[in-house]
Amino acid sequence: MRTAILLNFKMATFLIGKILVIIVCNILGHQCSFIASESKDEYLDAIQNVEALDSREFNRYRRKGTLEHNKQVYKDKSSKNTKNVILKDINISINVGSECHVYNLTVDCSKLHLKEINSSWFTNNTEMILLNDNLLTRLVNSTFVHLSHLTHLDLSNNEISLIDLLAFDGLTSLKYLSLRHNSISFNEVSTNILKPLNNLQLLNLIQQPSAGITDVPVSLLQSLTKLRTLAINTFNSTLYFGPEFLNLTHLEVLEITGSTRNVTESSFKNVNGLKELIVRDMPLLKRMDDKVFVHLDKLTSLTLAYVSIDLQRVLALLWPFKGRSMSEIYLQGVTTTLYLPNLMKNGYITKKDLMYVTDICLDTFTVIDCNIYYITADAFSNRTTWDRCLRNMYISRNPFIGSSFVFFPLVLLQNLTKLTVSEGIRTCQTFSPFPRLSFMEYFFQDISIHNLSFDGQTKFKNNLANQELSILNGTFYLYVSKSLIIWNLKRLVPGLSLQLDVTFCGADNLQYIDISDSGFHTFTGHIRGLSSVKTAIISGNDISILSEYFLDEIYGLENLAVSKCQLDRNFIALKSARILQNITKLKVLDISNNSLNGLSKGTFSRNSELTYLSLSGNQFKDIPFDLKFTPNLKILDLSSNIITTLTTDTTEALDLLNSRNGGFQLMLNGNILSCGCHDLSFLQWLNSTLVSLDNNRNYTCMNKDGERTNTLTFSDLESLWRQCWGEFFFYIALITLCLYVIGAVLIFLILRNKNFFVSYFLQIFGNSKLHTRFDYKTDVYIGYSEEDYRFPCIELREHLERNLKLSTFLIDRDLLASLDKASGIMDAINSCWRVLLVCSKSFLTDEDWSMFTLRSAMYAQNPSNPARIVLMVHTSCLFLLPTELLSVVNDENILVVSEWKINYILSEMLRTRLMA
């Protein structure tokens, strides 16, 4: 009983306290969030109300410990005022004005344009703080003094230049600190600022290039005896880590960048315990001694990125690692070549250049953007060590001009699982000092004549690959390592026909192959041995010639991309079902951008597992297959086709897929739909369907008047119905009423005034009235070709206006820009007394608007103004006059001229025809 009373008392106290807090917040005029530090459950309930909370992103922060982004400069942003109200008697923290997101023990204040930090944003038990990508300029004393549990602090990508002595005071548990990409000049800050961080393990001090040109003082790091990872700038001409670094006995990872020019044998002598070395962004680096890596006997990972050293030179420096085991050697942007290479110095790789790296027991070897132009045929012949160790190889974005077949020995490495040799074809090849041999030329260049026989079979051993290859009965047998899983050949092969049968031997585990954006063509051979392949990317090749059985034996295929492949639309319209019939496990298919306009009947009838289909960038008028064949389809991309509407049967089938699969996405952006009166049901479906549509359901469409608009304009279907049919029925009712009233009035008048009406109608039909010049708004409409505008727009116009005192209408001068051109021409012709057409050759033959003007003038001819059209035609163009025009124009209104110039005769003819 006593316990219950006590609990009720506490609850009442809590509620009263909460009410008091709300009153305080209302008085201050702020929005409050409540965090009860005594209860973890109440704390979690409170933070769930924070807007824009992305749990997946915070999980990533939690797992990695930080996010490092490229520096973003923010200008003219004012920081927001922050306040903190703490009511200690009820233990509730109220953060007022803070926009930081809180998730468990992580506080994310990144990318909020902050200029200052308020320590009250962080509770005592916070473990991770993200303040990266803000506008901070200074770290003041005791900002984090209460955060004894903090382990990760990210201050990267700010404008910090000043750090007070006690800025990191209290951070005794901190393990990760990133000050990357700030403006700190370390010779201007105290060397004791990091002393409180006695448990720090990872420290990133790389600054912006404008921060200064001095190295980090070694004394700044002396207290960090547990440091494992260090990233710093170096600006000394010669790189050297002094004996002071011997105190950092746990240092394993070192990243350096800066303006160093020389790296010597003694540079890394005092950091010989390194396991990972990263040297990046050193454009001034010119020299590295032969024994530069000799002291790094524990190194397992080496990264050189964007250093101005020849690739051959770097490969030669790897000799200390020969015979050792390493996890990775990563080389990116290692080159001195900017335009054309020195072929004997950089970009020309031989067996001698690779003699050390191929004798290192590597797990991963990467060479990207190193300007490799040519590799000799025997470069990879020494594969004994790599056969045993290498599992991943990436050679990408090198402007290769040699034969791509030189990389074939890599496919045979016994333990290789991922091989990427891609993006070697340059879009603009400026020179070609080496012959680019075709696949078959290179293949046969090392075959001796005694290896050939005349029994219909050819077997041989290629001396360079050191593996047996064979051609038997017209079938090419290609041997692949049984461990290979991923093979990427994107944009590597400049030209290769697949008209021969190819059998892959040993590709039992190959699951991914990419040959996109290459020169493969003539896909007519049989492909065998790829039954385990699940993903094939063939986009960007020429598949205009394709056999219907090409994919038959790749029956394990789940993902297929054949975008931009110049597929023969007629062949696909007849054979698409046959081509896909054997790949029954297909789930993802991309056949976009092929200008297709139809698929054969029964397409996808054997592909019921299809979940994603892209048909964008083609010329389909509707969904070109039966949706009942794809019961598992969840995404259909029909963007950028020529679809105008979808039938009721189609929309019902889409709704059925959506309900059956728990969601369905349809992409229609890029089509010009029809939003006329005949498409009311389709427009209603667009607004009401549960199918997920792209572009916020707003698409370009053409209305009933042929004007371009968008579908959101017709979201009010009731008004559209009235617009389409209300006017029609209103006019019918109005006409019926008028006819009834007129009939009744006529009958009454005729009966009352019979003789008067007889006399009146006789006068009308006997003496019809002709229009005069004063019945029209404008005297003369001048029609002409835009190509021959000078005579009609200058000389002819001035003569008519100045000498004949006639008003004129010129399309280029008098038509308002806001009006539709066609409507403007017709309205102008109807409002003119005469229509003068200057019939030059271009007017009669070349321009569409000239023809439109001519026909509009013909339609404007009526009995009340029979001489409206006047033609001015050159003698050389008489035969070009249309017969239908001659049938409505009197002979006296055809003015034949020998030159485009106003003379006395032409002036008189114009005066008599235009003013009469």
Side-chain angles (χ1 to χ4, degrees):
M1 181 68 179
R2 185 176 180 181
T3 304
I5 294 173
L6 182 60
L7 290 175
N8 291 332
F9 175 75
K10 287 187 175 181
M11 182 61 68
T13 304
F14 176 79
L15 292 176
I16 293 171
K18 188 173 182 178
I19 293 172
L20 290 175
V21 170
I22 295 175
I23 294 173
V24 172
C25 289
N26 289 331
I27 292 173
L28 294 176
H30 296 288
Q31 183 178 1
C32 301
S33 61
F34 301 90
I35 302 177
S37 60
E38 286 184 345
S39 172
K40 185 176 181 180
D41 293 336
E42 292 178 4
Y43 168 76
L44 292 176
D45 291 339
I47 65 173
Q48 287 177 355
N49 295 324
V50 179
E51 296 181 358
L53 182 64
D54 189 339
S55 61
R56 290 180 299 176
E57 186 174 0
F58 277 98
N59 284 334
R60 188 168 69 251
Y61 292 166
R62 192 89 169 122
R63 184 169 62 252
K64 291 186 176 180
T66 187
L67 285 179
E68 293 203 353
H69 302 279
N70 293 329
K71 182 62 182 170
Q72 298 180 358
V73 179
Y74 301 100
K75 296 182 179 179
D76 301 327
K77 300 287 185 179
S78 60
S79 62
K80 298 186 177 180
N81 295 326
T82 59
K83 295 184 179 180
N84 180 266
V85 180
I86 301 179
L87 305 181
K88 295 182 179 179
D89 54 342
I90 58 173
N91 203 15
I92 297 177
S93 176
I94 307 168
N95 293 330
V96 182
S98 170
E99 297 182 0
C100 301
H101 302 314
V102 181
Y103 183 78
N104 288 343
L105 301 177
T106 297
V107 181
D108 179 15
C109 302
S110 61
K111 301 180 181 179
L112 296 180
H113 310 164
L114 301 176
K115 291 184 178 180
E116 295 179 351
I117 305 173
N118 192 327
S119 60
S120 62
W121 298 342
F122 318 117
T123 59
N124 295 343
N125 58 350
T126 301
E127 293 183 358
M128 179 184 296
I129 297 177
L130 304 174
L131 285 162
N132 54 287
D133 297 278
N134 283 296
L135 301 175
L136 303 176
T137 58
R138 182 175 183 175
L139 299 179
V140 300
N141 287 330
S142 304
T143 302
F144 311 105
V145 68
H146 61 297
L147 303 176
S148 59
H149 298 284
L150 191 68
T151 59
H152 289 72
L153 178 59
D154 189 351
L155 291 161
S156 60
N157 296 327
N158 279 280
E159 298 291 344
I160 299 173
S161 58
L162 297 176
I163 303 178
D164 291 353
L165 176 61
L166 302 179
F168 299 117
D169 191 27
L171 299 180
T172 56
S173 299
L174 195 68
K175 295 181 179 180
Y176 174 95
L177 174 61
S178 178
L179 292 168
R180 189 183 186 95
H181 287 164
N182 281 282
S183 301
I184 305 170
S185 181
F186 289 100
N187 62 341
E188 297 179 3
V189 300
S190 172
T191 58
N192 296 319
I193 59 173
L194 301 180
K195 273 192 175 181
L197 311 179
N198 49 17
N199 283 306
L200 196 65
Q201 297 182 13
L202 190 151
L203 177 61
N204 194 322
L205 297 178
I206 293 178
Q207 300 300 297
Q208 298 178 7
S210 59
I213 56 173
T214 58
D215 286 4
V216 176
V218 178
S219 56
L220 187 71
L221 309 174
Q222 288 302 295
S223 61
L224 307 179
T225 57
K226 296 183 180 180
L227 197 64
R228 293 181 178 274
T229 301
L230 175 63
I232 58 174
N233 297 89
T234 174
F235 300 99
N236 291 331
S237 177
T238 299
L239 179 65
Y240 178 66
F241 293 94
E244 300 87 352
F245 280 87
L246 293 173
N247 295 330
L248 304 180
T249 56
H250 294 87
L251 189 63
E252 296 179 346
V253 180
L254 177 62
E255 178 182 356
I256 56 176
T257 181
S259 57
T260 290
R261 296 175 179 270
N262 304 301
V263 181
T264 66
E265 176 185 350
S266 59
S267 293
F268 302 110
K269 180 179 180 180
N270 297 312
V271 288
N272 54 6
L274 291 179
K275 293 183 179 180
E276 181 177 352
L277 174 63
I278 303 170
V279 180
R280 66 169 68 251
D281 299 321
M282 286 192 170
L284 301 181
L285 187 60
K286 299 299 181 184
R287 187 175 68 85
M288 297 181 75
D289 286 356
D290 292 338
K291 299 181 179 181
V292 65
F293 299 128
V294 72
H295 299 291
L296 301 177
D297 52 2
K298 296 181 181 179
L299 199 71
T300 60
S301 176
L302 174 63
T303 297
L304 297 178
Y306 301 104
V307 295
S308 186
I309 294 290
D310 293 327
L311 177 62
Q312 286 89 335
R313 176 59 180 164
V314 171
L315 293 174
L317 297 176
L318 300 179
W319 66 267
F321 307 126
K322 185 177 179 181
R324 285 169 45 181
S325 295
M326 297 183 68
S327 60
E328 180 178 17
I329 291 180
Y330 182 96
L331 306 175
Q332 181 174 6
V334 179
T335 179
T336 58
T337 300
L338 297 179
Y339 300 103
L340 299 184
N342 181 341
L343 300 181
M344 303 311 296
K345 183 180 180 183
N346 194 40
Y348 186 92
I349 305 299
T350 66
K351 179 181 180 180
K352 181 180 179 181
D353 295 319
L354 299 176
M355 62 185 294
Y356 300 126
V357 72
T358 54
D359 203 19
I360 302 173
C361 187
L362 274 173
D363 181 81
T364 302
F365 183 53
T366 302
V367 182
I368 301 175
D369 287 327
C370 290
N371 283 338
I372 298 176
Y373 291 87
Y374 193 81
I375 299 178
T376 58
D378 61 345
F380 296 106
S381 60
N382 180 21
R383 305 193 313 272
T384 304
T385 303
W386 278 8
D387 261 337
R388 185 179 74 255
C389 304
L390 195 65
R391 297 179 58 84
N392 308 291
M393 172 167 276
Y394 307 94
I395 301 178
S396 182
R397 299 204 300 266
N398 293 286
F400 195 66
I401 60 176
S403 172
S404 56
F405 189 67
V406 70
F407 297 107
F408 175 74
L410 300 176
V411 186
L412 303 171
L413 294 175
Q414 295 180 7
N415 290 300
L416 193 69
T417 59
K418 298 178 182 179
L419 175 60
T420 295
V421 184
S422 64
E423 300 183 62
I425 300 177
R426 294 179 295 172
T427 56
C428 182
Q429 188 169 313
T430 56
F431 70 102
S432 182
F434 306 104
R436 185 191 288 276
L437 302 177
S438 68
F439 180 85
M440 296 309 293
E441 286 174 337
Y442 194 99
F443 186 77
F444 287 109
Q445 69 176 355
D446 193 54
I447 301 176
S448 301
I449 189 64
H450 61 79
N451 289 328
L452 302 179
S453 61
F454 301 92
D455 57 357
Q457 301 182 2
T458 302
K459 293 186 178 181
F460 56 89
K461 176 177 285 191
N462 186 293
N463 294 333
L464 303 179
N466 197 27
Q467 290 286 341
E468 185 178 274
L469 306 173
S470 62
I471 294 180
L472 179 62
N473 295 331
T475 299
F476 176 66
Y477 291 87
L478 180 63
Y479 292 85
V480 177
S481 172
K482 292 184 177 181
S483 63
L484 191 62
I485 298 176
I486 296 176
W487 192 4
N488 187 344
L489 300 172
K490 179 181 179 180
R491 218 166 71 221
L492 179 68
V493 180
L496 177 61
S497 171
L498 295 179
Q499 60 186 349
L500 292 177
D501 294 345
V502 180
T503 297
F504 288 82
C505 301
D508 300 334
N509 295 307
L510 187 61
Q511 298 181 16
Y512 178 101
I513 186 167
D514 184 353
I515 61 171
S516 58
D517 296 329
S518 296
F520 291 95
H521 61 90
T522 315
F523 290 69
T524 57
H526 288 84
I527 304 296
R528 300 184 178 93
L530 295 180
S531 59
S532 62
V533 171
K534 295 182 179 180
T535 300
I537 304 176
I538 316 177
S539 301
N541 290 281
D542 181 4
I543 312 184
S544 56
I545 301 177
L546 173 67
S547 64
E548 60 187 48
Y549 49 78
F550 186 79
L551 299 174
D552 279 2
E553 299 191 40
I554 318 179
Y555 43 77
L557 204 59
E558 296 181 2
N559 309 297
L560 175 63
V562 283
S563 176
K564 297 181 181 179
C565 286
Q566 307 175 43
L567 293 175
D568 187 331
R569 63 165 59 178
N570 295 323
F571 178 76
I572 297 300
L574 293 174
K575 298 292 185 179
S576 58
R578 169 64 186 87
I579 295 171
L580 301 174
Q581 71 175 15
N582 276 23
I583 48 177
T584 57
K585 297 180 181 180
L586 192 64
K587 295 180 180 179
V588 176
L589 177 61
D590 181 2
I591 53 175
S592 59
N593 299 297
N594 283 296
S595 299
L596 303 178
N597 59 3
L599 300 177
S600 65
K601 186 177 180 180
T603 300
F604 307 129
S605 60
R606 303 283 299 276
N607 311 109
S608 59
E609 296 186 20
L610 197 65
T611 59
Y612 172 89
L613 176 60
S614 176
L615 301 174
S616 64
N618 288 295
Q619 297 180 11
F620 295 114
K621 295 182 179 179
D622 52 17
I623 297 179
F625 62 94
D626 196 334
L627 289 169
K628 70 181 181 182
F629 295 144
T630 56
N632 295 302
L633 192 63
K634 290 189 175 181
I635 300 177
L636 176 58
D637 188 352
L638 284 169
S639 56
S640 301
N641 278 275
I642 55 175
I643 295 174
T644 57
T645 187
L646 296 178
T647 64
T648 303
D649 293 338
T650 300
T651 56
E652 290 177 353
L654 292 172
D655 287 332
L656 180 61
L657 275 177
N658 181 72
S659 61
R660 179 186 300 165
N661 297 333
F664 181 81
Q665 183 176 1
L666 177 65
M667 303 176 189
L668 291 172
N669 194 33
N671 293 282
I672 300 180
L673 305 180
S674 174
C675 45
C677 295
H678 297 289
D679 304 292
L680 285 174
S681 59
F682 174 57
L683 294 174
Q684 182 179 7
W685 179 81
L686 285 179
N687 290 324
S688 61
T689 182
L690 296 178
V691 172
S692 177
L693 299 172
D694 62 330
N695 205 42
N696 197 25
R697 299 174 183 258
N698 188 24
Y699 306 106
T700 302
C701 67
M702 301 293 290
N703 64 15
K704 62 184 181 64
D705 299 321
E707 298 173 345
R708 180 171 293 192
T709 179
N710 58 76
T711 55
L712 283 185
T713 306
F714 302 94
S715 56
D716 185 2
L717 293 177
E718 184 177 351
S719 62
L720 177 60
W721 188 93
R722 287 197 300 269
Q723 180 182 349
C724 291
W725 300 107
E727 184 179 1
F728 173 75
F729 287 109
F730 172 76
Y731 283 135
I732 288 181
L734 183 62
I735 291 173
T736 302
L737 177 62
C738 291
L739 290 177
Y740 176 79
V741 173
I742 292 172
V745 171
L746 286 178
I747 293 175
F748 175 77
L749 292 176
I750 290 174
L751 293 177
R752 292 288 302 271
N753 303 284
K754 180 178 179 181
N755 294 331
F756 171 78
F757 280 106
V758 171
S759 174
Y760 179 77
F761 282 111
L762 288 176
Q763 291 179 5
I764 291 177
F765 291 109
N767 300 290
S768 59
K769 182 181 179 182
L770 298 177
H771 291 174
T772 66
R773 179 159 63 98
F774 303 101
D775 293 328
Y776 294 87
K777 180 180 178 181
T778 307
D779 294 330
V780 182
Y781 177 97
I782 302 178
Y784 57 93
S785 166
E786 292 182 359
E787 182 179 344
D788 304 317
Y789 72 94
R790 297 187 60 83
F791 171 73
C793 292
I794 300 177
E795 187 174 358
L796 177 60
R797 176 190 59 78
E798 289 182 355
H799 177 76
L800 297 181
E801 293 179 350
R802 183 181 301 174
N803 298 334
L804 301 184
K805 307 300 181 182
L806 296 174
S807 60
T808 61
F809 184 96
L810 296 173
I811 189 68
D812 291 324
R813 182 190 66 181
D814 301 317
L815 182 63
L816 295 178
S818 59
L819 295 179
D820 178 70
K821 187 173 182 179
S823 300
I825 292 174
M826 296 183 65
D827 292 340
I829 290 177
N830 290 331
S831 64
C832 290
W833 161 246
R834 291 286 185 261
V835 179
L836 176 59
L837 301 180
V838 181
C839 299
S840 63
K841 183 177 181 181
S842 61
F843 182 89
L844 296 173
T845 59
D846 294 338
E847 293 189 356
D848 294 336
W849 284 114
S850 300
M851 186 59 63
F852 179 83
T853 302
L854 188 148
R855 294 190 178 277
S856 299
M858 292 168 56
Y859 294 144
Q861 188 88 313
N862 57 69
S864 61
N865 190 357
R868 170 174 282 186
I869 302 177
V870 178
L871 303 181
M872 183 182 296
V873 59
H874 196 275
T875 54
S876 63
C877 300
L878 282 172
F879 69 96
L880 297 175
L881 292 174
T883 56
E884 60 269 30
L885 178 63
L886 295 175
S887 64
V888 299
V889 180
N890 297 331
D891 291 343
E892 58 269 24
N893 279 13
I894 301 177
L895 310 182
V896 181
V897 297
S898 58
E899 59 180 351
W900 298 114
K901 186 177 181 181
I902 300 295
N903 51 36
Y904 176 78
I905 297 176
L906 180 58
S907 175
E908 287 300 309
M909 287 192 296
L910 290 172
R911 183 179 62 79
T912 57
R913 270 67 170 184
L914 300 180
M915 301 182 66

